[in-house]
């Protein structure tokens, strides 16, 4: 069942999502050569708690940290720890926070120092594919109208979209109906309705879209070892333009 949020629930979600977006921004600012991924996780955890929220990912299906930090060929679900970031790494940071009973969920890929032009292009195409997709995120359209637009943009730029993991509805639960794939033909899936909230999250690989999960049961890497990037926001569907809920206050455009 797809949950439709009331105005009161949406006010709560806006706040949860602002906290989540601020946590993403904080994590992104910490990305630099020499820092460990565990230090970023700790700072984000403490920030979320300081806001009266709880980290959505911590203990979710047994996940052991508050943030997913996925470096280079890791697409998603990288577990923070002792790994030291180095110049040239690309670092995908995915954060969720629950406040007042509702979750926010967002991600972005950050450059660690100077990165290669190809890596920067991957980051830029991934982020722009989100914005291409959400042009179709409005009442009356179908979910896969978003999916198709994301895939078309990514493949036009020579990259591939991950198939094995998808976006999702979000609200009182981190993962709700409907699934929101980043690939497929337009005109399929449920119709979008005003006051649905969904997380649109393209995961984009430089080479093949195939991925595999390491033996820790989480870390998901590209099959060919090439780079991957991720970009995600929680969105509110309206009868006009969608409202991006994971927007941090005090940032120039509010969105990472
Ligand atoms: N952030 C992921 C998503 O966007 C979920 C993380 S799963 C967890 O759907 F186990 F790491 F929490
Ligand atoms: Co998500």
């Amino acid at each position: 069942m797809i949950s439709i949020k009331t105005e009161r629930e949406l006010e709560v979600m806006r706040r949860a999502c602002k906290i989540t977006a601020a946590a993403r921004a904080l994590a992104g600012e910490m990305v630099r050569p020499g820092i460990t991924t565990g230090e970023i996780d700790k700072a984000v955890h403490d920030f979320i708690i300081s806001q009266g929220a709880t980290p959505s990912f911590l203990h979710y299906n047994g996940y052991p940290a508050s943030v997913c930090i996925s470096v280079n060929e890791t697409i998603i679900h990288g577990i923070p720890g002792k790994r030291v970031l180095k110049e040239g790494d690309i670092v995908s940071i995915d954060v969720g926070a629950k406040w007042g009973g509702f979750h926010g969920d967002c991600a972005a890929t950050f450059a660690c120092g100077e990165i290669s032009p190809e890596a920067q292009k991957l980051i830029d195409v991934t982020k722009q594919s989100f914005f291409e997709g959400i042009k179709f995120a409005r009442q009356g359209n179908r979910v896969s109208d978003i999916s198709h637009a994301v895939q078309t943009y990514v493949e036009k730029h020579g990259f591939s979209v991950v198939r094995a993991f998808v976006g999702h509805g979000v609200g009182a639960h981190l993962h709700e109906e409907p699934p929101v794939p980043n690939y497929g033909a337009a005109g399929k899936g449920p119709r979008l309705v005003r006051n649905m909230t969904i997380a649109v999250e393209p995961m984009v690989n430089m080479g093949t879209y195939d991925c595999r999960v390491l033996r820790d049961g989480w870390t998901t890497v590209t099959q060919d070892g090439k780079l991957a990037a991720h970009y995600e926001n929680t969105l509110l569907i309206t009868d006009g333009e969608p409202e991006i809920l994971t927007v941090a206050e005090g940032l120039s455009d509010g969105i990472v």
Side-chain angles (χ1 to χ4, degrees), residues 56-58 60-61 63 68 77 94-95 105 166 168 174-175 201 218 230 232:
S56 306
F57 302 171
L58 186 60
Y60 180 85
N61 291 338
Y63 185 73
C68 298
H77 300 169
D94 191 345
V95 190
D105 187 7
V166 298
H168 50 94
L174 180 61
H175 293 139
E201 51 176 318
W218 286 104
H230 187 195
E232 173 180 32

Side-chain angles (χ1 to χ4, degrees), residues 30-121:
M30 290 182 76
V31 170
R32 58 170 172 76
I35 198 167
T36 68
T37 55
E39 288 173 277
I40 297 174
D41 180 63
K42 165 120 181 51
V44 169
H45 176 273
D46 292 349
F47 170 76
I48 290 172
I49 298 292
S50 79
Q51 299 300 301
T54 53
S56 306
F57 302 171
L58 186 60
H59 308 317
Y60 180 85
N61 291 338
Y63 185 73
S66 298
V67 186
C68 298
I69 305 184
S70 306
V71 183
N72 295 337
E73 77 284 359
T74 303
I75 309 166
I76 48 164
H77 300 169
I79 301 172
K82 291 188 164 60
R83 181 175 185 152
V84 180
L85 296 181
K86 60 179 200 319
E87 182 94 22
D89 283 342
I90 65 168
V91 184
S92 297
I93 295 195
D94 191 345
V95 190
K98 187 180 198 185
W99 186 87
F102 286 84
H103 295 272
D105 187 7
C106 64
T109 302
F110 298 92
C112 184
E114 286 283 312
I115 62 172
S116 70
E118 305 78 60
Q120 188 61 53
K121 181 184 168 202

Side-chain angles (χ1 to χ4, degrees), residues 207-237:
T208 136
Y209 62 74
D210 294 308
C211 51
R212 75 194 163 87
V213 178
L214 301 188
R215 279 159 66 176
D216 61 19
W218 286 104
T219 312
T220 303
V221 300
T222 57
Q223 190 72 256
D224 59 12
K226 294 186 181 171
L227 297 178
H230 187 195
Y231 188 76
E232 173 180 32
N233 285 299
T234 300
L235 279 190
L236 170 64
I237 302 301

Side-chain angles (χ1 to χ4, degrees), residues 5 18 23 39 55 71 77 85-86 109 117 120 130 135 147 151 156 160 176 192 196 203 220 228 239-240 253:
K5 277 74 179 181
K18 276 193 180 129
E39 288 173 277
V71 183
H77 300 169
L85 296 181
K86 60 179 200 319
T109 302
Q120 188 61 53
F130 166 88
K135 288 178 183 168
S147 317
Q151 180 180 18
K156 190 173 83 188
S160 64
E176 299 185 349
L192 297 169
M196 281 173 57
M203 289 149 268
T220 303
D239 48 18
D253 65 355

Side-chain angles (χ1 to χ4, degrees), residues 125-136 143-157 159-162 180-184 200-204:
V125 166
T126 303
K127 180 171 179 178
Q128 188 57 34
S129 74
F130 166 88
F131 288 99
E132 296 297 322
I134 71 166
K135 288 178 183 168
F136 296 86
V143 166
S144 84
D145 297 337
I146 302 172
S147 317
H148 183 69
V150 170
Q151 180 180 18
T152 303
Y153 183 81
V154 167
E155 292 181 352
K156 190 173 83 188
H157 288 86
F159 300 138
S160 64
V161 288
V162 169
V180 182
N182 297 300
Y183 58 92
V200 177
E201 51 176 318
M203 289 149 268
V204 177

